[in-house]
Amino acid sequence: MDMTWITDRVAVGGGIWKDANMIEVVRAGITHIIDMQIEFDDTPLAEPYEVEVLWNPIDDDFQHKPAEVFERGVGFALQALEAAESNKVYIHCAAGVHRAPMMTLALLRRMGWPLKKAMQTIQKKRYVVDWAEG
């Protein structure tokens, strides 16, 4: 499973796609998923494991995204993280290069991280990240 831990409770990565990968996600302690990929909705895969999914699909087209996309994802993640100390969030798109890192950045910023530190931390831990202008 292509998953990188950014903090002890927030991970970012690529698509889950199949049950075997969902089992790995569950074994990693993930309780909540923000699925940024337009290509595939994880909700049916997660249902048997009682993992909550926010399907928040956007195109990987390097265009500016509406603030609502980030507000929805950040709100979902913060609610999960505040609900129980054992909750963990996995933010992903298809490859974990553009969309998911941007959502992770938005979350870290709302958690009080300075922009530069958040970007550097994500990039250092997940070297494939590409901070596209859009």
Side-chain angles (χ1 to χ4, degrees), residues 7-8 23-26 29 33 36-37 48 55 62 64 89 91-92 97 99 104 113-114 118-120 122-124 133:
T7 73
D8 60 340
I23 290 169
E24 284 188 51
V25 167
V26 171
I33 295 170
M36 301 298 297
Q37 62 186 349
W55 188 37
F62 303 103
H64 288 280
V89 177
I91 304 169
H92 80 87
V97 174
R99 295 169 285 182
T104 305
W113 288 52
M119 289 179 78
Q120 288 173 341
I122 294 166
Q123 184 83 61
K124 181 180 176 185
E133 288 184 34

Side-chain angles (χ1 to χ4, degrees), residues 19-134:
D19 191 58
N21 290 339
M22 183 60 75
I23 290 169
E24 284 188 51
V25 167
V26 171
R27 285 185 182 147
I30 300 296
T31 57
H32 295 75
I33 295 170
I34 300 174
D35 179 357
M36 301 298 297
Q37 62 186 349
I38 201 166
E39 303 88 348
F40 189 84
D41 178 1
D42 294 331
T43 305
L45 281 177
E47 284 175 1
Y49 305 102
E50 298 181 9
V51 173
E52 289 187 48
V53 175
L54 171 66
W55 188 37
N56 199 18
I58 56 172
D59 263 323
D60 190 16
D61 58 6
F62 303 103
Q63 300 300 308
H64 288 280
K65 305 302 179 209
E68 295 80 24
V69 169
F70 297 101
E71 290 170 3
R72 190 169 39 249
V74 167
F76 176 84
L78 289 177
Q79 185 176 27
L81 295 171
E82 291 167 1
E85 291 215 11
S86 60
N87 285 349
K88 295 181 181 181
V89 177
Y90 179 49
I91 304 169
H92 80 87
C93 52
V97 174
H98 299 121
R99 295 169 285 182
M102 285 299 292
M103 179 59 72
T104 305
L105 178 61
L107 175 60
L108 294 182
R109 293 286 291 137
R110 277 289 284 284
M111 292 170 70
W113 288 52
L115 177 62
K116 189 173 183 178
K117 180 183 179 189
M119 289 179 78
Q120 288 173 341
T121 300
I122 294 166
Q123 184 83 61
K124 181 180 176 185
K125 292 187 177 196
R126 188 162 178 84
Y127 66 92
V128 296
V129 169
D130 176 24
W131 299 115
E133 288 184 34

